[in-house]
Amino acid sequence: MKIILISLFSCVWLMAVGQREEKMDKEKEENIFITPVTHTPIFGTCIDEEQRVCTHTKLIEFFVKNIKWPQRVSCYEGTILISWIVELDGNISNVKFLRDTPEAWENEILRIIEKMPKWIPAKRNGKPIRKNYFFPLRIKLEG
C-alpha cells in the first residue's frame, strides 16, 4: 500500500522566502506586495505568536486530509512549487506552478486549493494587502 507523505522544506527556508524582496514585474501594477509585511497571511485558526509556523502546519494538515493520489501518476515523487495570491477578502487567486508538474497533480492541487477556507489576509501598517504565498509540496511514495 502506498502512503503519501507530504512535507515542507524547513521552516527556515520558508521564512526566508516569505521575507525576501523580489524583483517586481507586472504584479507591481496590481498592488501585490512581495516585500516584508507587518502580518503575513494566516491559514486556519492560527492566532498565536508563531502564526507562520502554525499556518504551514495547518496547510499541511489540510492537504493531507483532502489529497487523493492521482492514478495516472502513481510513481511520481518530487517537490511541487506552488504560489498563489491571498486577496484582500481572504480568497485565493492566481495559482501558479513554479516547476513542471504532471497535469494530474496540477488538477488535484487546484481541487484542494478550491476547497480551502478563506485566509486572513496579510497586513501592512494595520491594513489588509494582497500578498503572494509560496508553498513547496513534497510528494513521496513509501511502502
Side-chain angles (χ1 to χ4, degrees):
M1 179 174 157
K2 296 178 184 174
I3 299 172
I4 302 172
L5 293 178
I6 299 176
S7 63
L8 294 175
F9 288 82
S10 71
C11 287
V12 174
W13 182 83
L14 288 171
M15 288 179 180
V17 168
Q19 292 299 315
R20 74 175 184 216
E21 290 193 22
E22 296 185 7
K23 183 178 178 184
M24 296 174 70
D25 53 9
K26 285 173 49 179
E27 292 178 338
K28 184 175 182 179
E29 297 171 9
E30 299 172 18
N31 295 323
I32 300 169
F33 293 97
I34 302 176
T35 56
V37 294
T38 52
H39 292 91
T40 59
I42 301 169
F43 179 78
T45 57
C46 300
I47 56 172
D48 60 9
E49 294 176 8
E50 296 295 324
Q51 290 175 345
R52 180 172 298 193
V53 174
C54 178
T55 290
H56 295 308
T57 301
K58 296 285 185 187
L59 194 53
I60 292 168
E61 290 171 2
F62 186 81
F63 268 82
V64 169
K65 180 180 174 184
N66 290 287
I67 203 158
K68 295 177 183 171
W69 194 271
Q71 293 297 321
R72 292 175 284 166
V73 288
S74 59
C75 62
Y76 178 79
E77 286 189 346
T79 301
I80 300 171
L81 294 177
I82 314 157
S83 75
W84 58 75
I85 297 171
V86 178
E87 295 290 345
L88 296 173
D89 63 0
N91 286 317
I92 302 300
S93 70
N94 248 15
V95 177
K96 295 180 183 176
F97 294 89
L98 304 177
R99 286 189 183 163
D100 287 338
T101 305
E103 184 179 351
W105 270 113
E106 285 186 6
N107 292 337
E108 176 59 11
I109 290 167
L110 289 171
R111 184 191 69 78
I112 294 169
I113 290 172
E114 287 176 5
K115 292 179 71 170
M116 278 187 199
K118 285 190 175 188
W119 287 52
I120 298 170
K123 292 182 181 177
R124 174 174 282 148
N125 300 323
K127 296 179 182 178
I129 61 167
R130 299 174 76 208
K131 180 78 170 92
N132 277 17
Y133 192 87
F134 299 92
F135 183 64
L137 181 66
R138 176 96 175 120
I139 307 295
K140 184 175 181 178
L141 291 173
E142 191 178 89

